Amino acid sequence: MTSTGSGSDGSARPGVVRVGAVDCGTNSIRLLVAEGVPGEAGLTDITREMRIIRLGEGVDATGRLSDGALSRCRTALTDYAATMAELGVQSVRMVATSATRDARNKDEFFGMTAEVLGKYFPGAQAEVISGQTEAELTFAGGVSDLRPDDGPFVVTDLGGGSTEIVVGDLVRGEVRILGARSLDIGCVRITERTLPSDPPTAAEIAEARSVIAEALAEAGDVPVGRAARWVGVAGTFTTLSALAQGLAEYDPQRIHGSVIPLDRMRAVCDRLVAGTVTERRSLGPMHPGRADVIGGGSIVVQALCDVMAERAGLFELTVSEKDILDGIAMSVLTRLAG
């Protein structure tokens, strides 16, 4: 998705700084260039990009980032760095999540990011953030367009390697995290671990549900019951929203802020889990690179629907196009203000 604000010729407006945020996850790498005033709330998007690179392909089994995955990441990041330079980005932050935390050869990855980003932004490289920082950035991005009075919120970010569950609220514009967990049940990880068949067999689906239930039990200390609204972020949730709405193609404006009843969400997930990769790929809003793993992601979402209904009495899901990527960009502005 790409959107252009004023000054998109590469020159930021007077009094405004332009920042770059890169989120490198297990399945995709994403770029946000935005502008804002340090110390003030609010960002204006200049451009957003996303590519499926499957950085975490095979990591669960081998413990290493493959040469092919590293090459795909380098290609995308090289293009992103050039785009940021062309658009006049003044400060950049790149965050890498689950796949790199788990890889034995992660130093090779970080060296590559330092080389590629350093060409335009000396000293910049990817960083692996703590679970607490990841929770804060995910939450800040996910609720950035919501009314604080509608909280507390439970934000779930379903990625390729992990799923974050964060409960918090906004107090005078400041994020207050009430509890958070990062669980190893991302859509790529679940698919590779439990769903080898196409379509998956009943036994494979049962195994996936068992693995997910065991992981969710570890999040029993997260105070989900305090939440007044459930917010889902990242590509699995946004794609499910598009399908639940019956959209012919992916439309960020109709997806952002959409509210989907959980019964409708469960039905969409059932259809995706039962379908073949070819059938999923034929759906208009489906990114081709997501079709083979969204079945696993759908099983995670179904389990989350049960948790939200049973523990929080929540029966609808708000889907946000804003997520950790927006939180990263906001953190760069905060750093510049300091």
Side-chain angles (χ1 to χ4, degrees), residues 158-160 187 233-241 265 290 293-294 296-298 301:
L158 203 170
C187 59
V233 304
T236 295
F237 280 114
T238 58
T239 302
L240 290 173
S241 171
M265 185 61 69
R290 199 176 300 282
V293 295
I294 199 167
S298 294
V301 171

mmCIF file of all heavy atoms in Angstrom, residues 158-160 187 233-241 265 290 293-294 296-298 301:
data_model
loop_
_atom_site.group_PDB
_atom_site.id
_atom_site.type_symbol
_atom_site.label_atom_id
_atom_site.label_comp_id
_atom_site.label_asym_id
_atom_site.label_seq_id
_atom_site.Cartn_x
_atom_site.Cartn_y
_atom_site.Cartn_z
ATOM 1 N N LEU A 158 -0.561 -10.730 15.042
ATOM 2 C CA LEU A 158 -0.304 -12.093 14.599
ATOM 3 C C LEU A 158 0.682 -12.044 13.450
ATOM 4 O O LEU A 158 0.348 -11.634 12.338
ATOM 5 C CB LEU A 158 -1.616 -12.762 14.170
ATOM 6 C CG LEU A 158 -1.680 -14.281 14.187
ATOM 7 C CD1 LEU A 158 -3.123 -14.745 13.967
ATOM 8 C CD2 LEU A 158 -0.780 -14.923 13.148
ATOM 9 N N GLY A 159 1.924 -12.420 13.725
ATOM 10 C CA GLY A 159 2.970 -12.391 12.720
ATOM 11 C C GLY A 159 3.273 -13.769 12.175
ATOM 12 O O GLY A 159 2.518 -14.726 12.356
ATOM 13 N N GLY A 160 4.424 -13.875 11.504
ATOM 14 C CA GLY A 160 4.808 -15.154 10.939
ATOM 15 C C GLY A 160 5.350 -16.117 11.971
ATOM 16 O O GLY A 160 5.082 -17.324 11.917
ATOM 17 N N CYS A 187 1.810 -17.536 12.015
ATOM 18 C CA CYS A 187 1.193 -18.299 10.927
ATOM 19 C C CYS A 187 2.203 -19.174 10.186
ATOM 20 O O CYS A 187 1.876 -20.304 9.792
ATOM 21 C CB CYS A 187 0.475 -17.356 9.963
ATOM 22 S SG CYS A 187 1.498 -16.089 9.198
ATOM 23 N N VAL A 233 -4.128 -6.533 14.594
ATOM 24 C CA VAL A 233 -3.260 -5.829 13.656
ATOM 25 C C VAL A 233 -2.404 -6.828 12.879
ATOM 26 O O VAL A 233 -2.242 -7.972 13.282
ATOM 27 C CB VAL A 233 -2.350 -4.805 14.375
ATOM 28 C CG1 VAL A 233 -3.184 -3.820 15.181
ATOM 29 C CG2 VAL A 233 -1.323 -5.491 15.285
ATOM 30 N N ALA A 234 -1.864 -6.365 11.762
ATOM 31 C CA ALA A 234 -0.960 -7.093 10.864
ATOM 32 C C ALA A 234 -1.746 -7.881 9.817
ATOM 33 O O ALA A 234 -2.974 -7.967 9.849
ATOM 34 C CB ALA A 234 0.020 -7.977 11.629
ATOM 35 N N GLY A 235 -0.997 -8.469 8.864
ATOM 36 C CA GLY A 235 -1.569 -8.945 7.614
ATOM 37 C C GLY A 235 -2.612 -10.033 7.701
ATOM 38 O O GLY A 235 -3.546 -10.065 6.887
ATOM 39 N N THR A 236 -2.488 -10.954 8.653
ATOM 40 C CA THR A 236 -3.522 -11.986 8.774
ATOM 41 C C THR A 236 -4.864 -11.355 9.123
ATOM 42 O O THR A 236 -5.891 -11.637 8.491
ATOM 43 C CB THR A 236 -3.134 -13.032 9.834
ATOM 44 O OG1 THR A 236 -1.967 -13.741 9.394
ATOM 45 C CG2 THR A 236 -4.266 -14.030 10.058
ATOM 46 N N PHE A 237 -4.872 -10.476 10.117
ATOM 47 C CA PHE A 237 -6.125 -9.845 10.534
ATOM 48 C C PHE A 237 -6.693 -8.944 9.443
ATOM 49 O O PHE A 237 -7.913 -8.932 9.205
ATOM 50 C CB PHE A 237 -5.921 -9.031 11.810
ATOM 51 C CG PHE A 237 -5.909 -9.850 13.067
ATOM 52 C CD1 PHE A 237 -4.762 -9.971 13.825
ATOM 53 C CD2 PHE A 237 -7.045 -10.502 13.507
ATOM 54 C CE1 PHE A 237 -4.737 -10.715 14.994
ATOM 55 C CE2 PHE A 237 -7.048 -11.257 14.674
ATOM 56 C CZ PHE A 237 -5.880 -11.369 15.419
ATOM 57 N N THR A 238 -5.852 -8.162 8.780
ATOM 58 C CA THR A 238 -6.378 -7.250 7.757
ATOM 59 C C THR A 238 -6.931 -8.025 6.561
ATOM 60 O O THR A 238 -7.963 -7.644 5.991
ATOM 61 C CB THR A 238 -5.305 -6.245 7.307
ATOM 62 O OG1 THR A 238 -4.153 -6.932 6.794
ATOM 63 C CG2 THR A 238 -4.885 -5.341 8.449
ATOM 64 N N THR A 239 -6.275 -9.133 6.203
ATOM 65 C CA THR A 239 -6.789 -9.957 5.108
ATOM 66 C C THR A 239 -8.117 -10.600 5.497
ATOM 67 O O THR A 239 -9.063 -10.638 4.694
ATOM 68 C CB THR A 239 -5.769 -11.038 4.729
ATOM 69 O OG1 THR A 239 -4.535 -10.422 4.351
ATOM 70 C CG2 THR A 239 -6.275 -11.888 3.581
ATOM 71 N N LEU A 240 -8.219 -11.102 6.724
ATOM 72 C CA LEU A 240 -9.476 -11.689 7.189
ATOM 73 C C LEU A 240 -10.603 -10.668 7.201
ATOM 74 O O LEU A 240 -11.746 -10.979 6.862
ATOM 75 C CB LEU A 240 -9.287 -12.283 8.588
ATOM 76 C CG LEU A 240 -8.412 -13.537 8.685
ATOM 77 C CD1 LEU A 240 -8.183 -13.916 10.147
ATOM 78 C CD2 LEU A 240 -9.052 -14.705 7.935
ATOM 79 N N SER A 241 -10.283 -9.429 7.579
ATOM 80 C CA SER A 241 -11.302 -8.374 7.547
ATOM 81 C C SER A 241 -11.813 -8.150 6.127
ATOM 82 O O SER A 241 -13.022 -8.025 5.896
ATOM 83 C CB SER A 241 -10.741 -7.067 8.113
ATOM 84 O OG SER A 241 -11.644 -6.000 7.890
ATOM 85 N N MET A 265 -16.041 -13.801 11.787
ATOM 86 C CA MET A 265 -14.609 -14.063 11.682
ATOM 87 C C MET A 265 -14.333 -15.557 11.733
ATOM 88 O O MET A 265 -13.526 -16.088 10.964
ATOM 89 C CB MET A 265 -13.870 -13.329 12.807
ATOM 90 C CG MET A 265 -12.358 -13.424 12.728
ATOM 91 S SD MET A 265 -11.646 -12.723 11.221
ATOM 92 C CE MET A 265 -11.949 -10.976 11.487
ATOM 93 N N ARG A 290 0.849 -14.891 1.014
ATOM 94 C CA ARG A 290 0.229 -15.204 2.297
ATOM 95 C C ARG A 290 -0.662 -16.443 2.213
ATOM 96 O O ARG A 290 -1.045 -17.011 3.243
ATOM 97 C CB ARG A 290 -0.606 -14.000 2.759
ATOM 98 C CG ARG A 290 -0.940 -14.000 4.247
ATOM 99 C CD ARG A 290 -1.689 -12.743 4.665
ATOM 100 N NE ARG A 290 -0.935 -11.536 4.416
ATOM 101 C CZ ARG A 290 0.061 -11.098 5.169
ATOM 102 N NH1 ARG A 290 0.436 -11.792 6.215
ATOM 103 N NH2 ARG A 290 0.698 -9.988 4.867
ATOM 104 N N VAL A 293 0.107 -19.765 4.194
ATOM 105 C CA VAL A 293 0.234 -19.763 5.658
ATOM 106 C C VAL A 293 -0.982 -19.187 6.378
ATOM 107 O O VAL A 293 -1.072 -19.263 7.604
ATOM 108 C CB VAL A 293 1.504 -19.003 6.112
ATOM 109 C CG1 VAL A 293 2.755 -19.722 5.623
ATOM 110 C CG2 VAL A 293 1.495 -17.552 5.649
ATOM 111 N N ILE A 294 -1.930 -18.629 5.641
ATOM 112 C CA ILE A 294 -3.052 -17.982 6.320
ATOM 113 C C ILE A 294 -3.998 -19.016 6.934
ATOM 114 O O ILE A 294 -4.765 -18.691 7.857
ATOM 115 C CB ILE A 294 -3.814 -17.025 5.381
ATOM 116 C CG1 ILE A 294 -4.654 -16.039 6.218
ATOM 117 C CG2 ILE A 294 -4.658 -17.797 4.372
ATOM 118 C CD1 ILE A 294 -5.191 -14.864 5.441
ATOM 119 N N GLY A 296 -2.941 -21.555 8.762
ATOM 120 C CA GLY A 296 -2.402 -21.649 10.115
ATOM 121 C C GLY A 296 -2.739 -20.428 10.935
ATOM 122 O O GLY A 296 -3.117 -20.530 12.118
ATOM 123 N N GLY A 297 -2.644 -19.251 10.313
ATOM 124 C CA GLY A 297 -3.017 -18.024 11.019
ATOM 125 C C GLY A 297 -4.481 -18.005 11.401
ATOM 126 O O GLY A 297 -4.853 -17.504 12.473
ATOM 127 N N SER A 298 -5.329 -18.580 10.556
ATOM 128 C CA SER A 298 -6.764 -18.607 10.830
ATOM 129 C C SER A 298 -7.082 -19.469 12.046
ATOM 130 O O SER A 298 -7.995 -19.157 12.821
ATOM 131 C CB SER A 298 -7.523 -19.137 9.607
ATOM 132 O OG SER A 298 -7.406 -18.238 8.518
ATOM 133 N N VAL A 301 -6.364 -17.371 14.982
ATOM 134 C CA VAL A 301 -7.418 -16.370 15.179
ATOM 135 C C VAL A 301 -8.655 -16.996 15.808
ATOM 136 O O VAL A 301 -9.278 -16.411 16.704
ATOM 137 C CB VAL A 301 -7.770 -15.683 13.840
ATOM 138 C CG1 VAL A 301 -9.016 -14.807 13.990
ATOM 139 C CG2 VAL A 301 -6.597 -14.834 13.362
#
